[in-house]
């Protein structure tokens, strides 16, 4: 009943090799469930790389360096794009759709940046299916779950740990009281973090992922670069000591949520370190793990936990898309319909504000005055035992307020004479 | 492109009412994603119940007390069975399939008990789709996830908290040090537990659910009544004190796993209270929550967390099946293919053994002798401060051993003169 998938693979590194291996090791089982999929051709930059030669040994797979060898081959009815980036990868994906080939991709940047264009192109080519399960949280089927399990529900919040590198670093800082610099170096030595770690530690990786989940959860198209994004570079060991006083920990989250009960179509989308209670399921996700939590009207709360990256978890998501394609179980409209929502990034919540000072008289009064000027009510003031009076951290937590007010308060506090640096602030979950 | 679903609903209590409400409140959105579904007729025992009259007010829904008014109506192409039980519900479901009507059910007992018969009947009626998402863990899309996200993977273990009532009771016992009897009474007073609580506390509810997940995860058909099942009735406050010494808690789990690395097609399926480390994601699931954890070759580990029951979480799962049916996204083979596996219920693991004694001399030696006779190596002996020498609990934990050996050891210990009752034993996760 189903059509055999003759696949062209673009890029064959860690994930591509895993896809090739799974399709071979599971071929006979996949046949029993009606899925016939074979990788007919692979397009790579270095066709003689030993890993690739070893991988395809004994297989009748064509290796090429030319995109058009696959794109112009009418016997190939499906492509898998694992090149990354938004230049050549975009050309390959758009051309494949135009040629009525199904597309499976793990490319979060491409999907996040071009959802409207992809939607239009797919509407013009209604036979084409587009799968992108592997683009967010490698081993967690979160794309498909959002596509298929919340149609009768109204989602209120999607929040997740979607970057394993920074979660590994934060977990290490919490467990060992280690400094940011030390855990970054360790993550780099272990190969978890890049030599230039900016995509991870500055939150840009999560930015693209939450843009995709925001579309699926709320139907809102938001450019990744429009998402207010704060990374973890300013988090210090002392923040974990304060978080512990609050029975909490600190996680880098991508969040998309209805921000105002009185105006249910206002959505806030942001990436930020967040103070998370240890009793919250998000707080229990340590190491390099990923989690996506969904709050909704019908289901109240749900969470999906798993590996966020790695050869076989990510390859498994690509294979899931192949199987769903083979079984015709990919929805014809892969992104949620665009809905009339407004983006409201001046979101509300309780905030954690860490202030570094040289100790003296009248400090609490003056900080209190700045809070009052900004219209913020202070919830608690936390102080660890003081070691060095010339360099003291203390923490103010706020009642529910708006981000813009916290920014005003922080500016005011920064200009006080005894304050040593710009206060660090982040939301409390 | 898709066919409008004209639905006949059997049973319209908590969940059925929720389905009716969601289909109405989300009707216009569902139309935008290609799903037209209307409940044309409802079959109930008491057609004049005020809740039902109120529910259908203003709708053109036929109310009947006769099954055949729906089953013989050729304009109805889909039925939803929410009656429960395996007598009338079985007749209704089997007859509906024979009449080429799609079936959606929340009936775990029916699905767990008749998977081979349903498979045969569905093969004889290939146009019929069969959805049963709501039969296991109300608000968690675990059936669909197992159907669609593990085809390229090899599952090693499925383990879950699948009964909210007992999880609520165990969580209470842990938090408040309350007795089993006290929390049971409280759960009954709150309406969480039935007057006859056996289905929950003796583990029979979980038995049916793990039989379904075992089929989906491993392709093995196992009769619920063949699954070794221990409930929570013998768990005492003191067990939580010992679990805490082990940085653990106690959860009632349904487990299906490959039990022997040397013989990967041997599967163990059982229901039992289990000592779970608090660092394990299963250990963090408290209250009436449900969780299913999946260990697999590609994805390593994943977990799915949510509400296990309740009007809207369960109704949402029924609606998910309606949507997937409307979008033709339900696999034509709803249960995993049967695979050649053997059931090995003499599973291996570490065990927790609590022994109640009247204190005296030579006790550890004699318990040690019984362990040695059974071929069991003891890992640790735990003793809380003794309050009353005539009635002392202590705990022995074992190294990895087999269930049958623990049973032999427990029998031996029970016959020692100073032992007051049969030892309580359970696996350690």
């Amino acid at each position: 009943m189903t059509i055999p998938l003759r696949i062209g693979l673009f890029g064959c590194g860690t994930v591509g090799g895993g896809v090739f291996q799974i399709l071979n090791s599971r071929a006979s089982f996949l046949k029993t469930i009606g899925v016939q999929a074979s990788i007919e051709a692979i397009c790579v930059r270095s066709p003689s790389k030993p890993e690739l030669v070893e991988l395809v040994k004994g297989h009748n797979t064509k290796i090429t360096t030319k995109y058009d060898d696959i794109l112009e081959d009418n016997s190939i009815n499906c492509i898998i794009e694992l090149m990354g980036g938004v230049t050549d990868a975009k050309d390959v994906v758009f051309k494949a759709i135009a040629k009525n080939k199904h597309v499976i991709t793990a490319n979060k940047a491409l999907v996040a940046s071009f959802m409207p264009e992809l939607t239009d192109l797919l509407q013009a080519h209604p036979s084409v299916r587009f799968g992108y399960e592997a683009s967010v949280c490698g081993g967690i089927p979160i794309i498909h779950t959002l596509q298929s399990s919340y149609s009768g529900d109204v989602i209120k919040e999607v929040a997740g740990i979607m970057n394993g590198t920074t979660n590994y670093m934060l977990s290490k800082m919490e467990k060992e009281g280690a400094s940011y610099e030390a855990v970054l170096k360790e993550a780099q030595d272990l190969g978890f973090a890049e030599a230039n770690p900016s995509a991870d530690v500055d939150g840009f990786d999560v930015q693209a992922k939450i843009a995709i989940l925001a579309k699926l959860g709320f139907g809102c198209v938001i450019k990744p670069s429009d998402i207010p994004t704060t990374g973890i570079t300013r988090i210090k060991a002392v923040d974990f000591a304060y978080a512990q006083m609050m029975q909490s920990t600190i996680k880098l989250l991508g969040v998309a949520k209805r921000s105002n009960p009185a105006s249910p179509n206002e959505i806030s989308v942001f990436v930020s370190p967040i103070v998370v209670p240890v009793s919250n399921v998000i707080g229990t996700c340590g190491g390099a793990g990923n989690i996506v939590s969904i709050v909704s009207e019908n289901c109240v709360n749900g969470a999906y936990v798993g590996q966020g990256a790695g050869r076989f978890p990510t390859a498994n998501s690509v294979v899931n898309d192949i199987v769903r394609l083979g079984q015709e179980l990919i929805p014809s409209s892969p992104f949620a319909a665009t809905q009339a929502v407004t983006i409201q990034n001046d979101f509300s919540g309780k905030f954690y504000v860490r202030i570094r000072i040289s100790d003296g008289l009248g400090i609490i009064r003056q900080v209190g005055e700045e809070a009052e000027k900004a219209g913020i009510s202070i919830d608690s003031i936390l102080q660890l035992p003081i070691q060095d009076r010339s360099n003291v951290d203390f923490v103010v937590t706020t009642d529910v307020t708006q981000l813009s007010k916290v920014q005003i308060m922080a500016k005011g506090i920064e200009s006080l004479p005894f304050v040593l640096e710009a206060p660090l602030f982040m939301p409390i979950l």
Side-chain angles (χ1 to χ4, degrees), chain A residues 11-12 42-53 63-65:
Chain A
C12 194
I42 300 177
C43 179
V44 288
R45 260 183 306 209
S46 315
S48 50
K49 237 170 81 176
E51 297 93 315
L52 179 66
V53 173
I63 309 293
T64 177
T65 57

Side-chain angles (χ1 to χ4, degrees), chain A residues 11 60 131 141 233 257 275 302:
Chain A
N60 203 5
T233 55
K257 61 175 181 181
V275 178

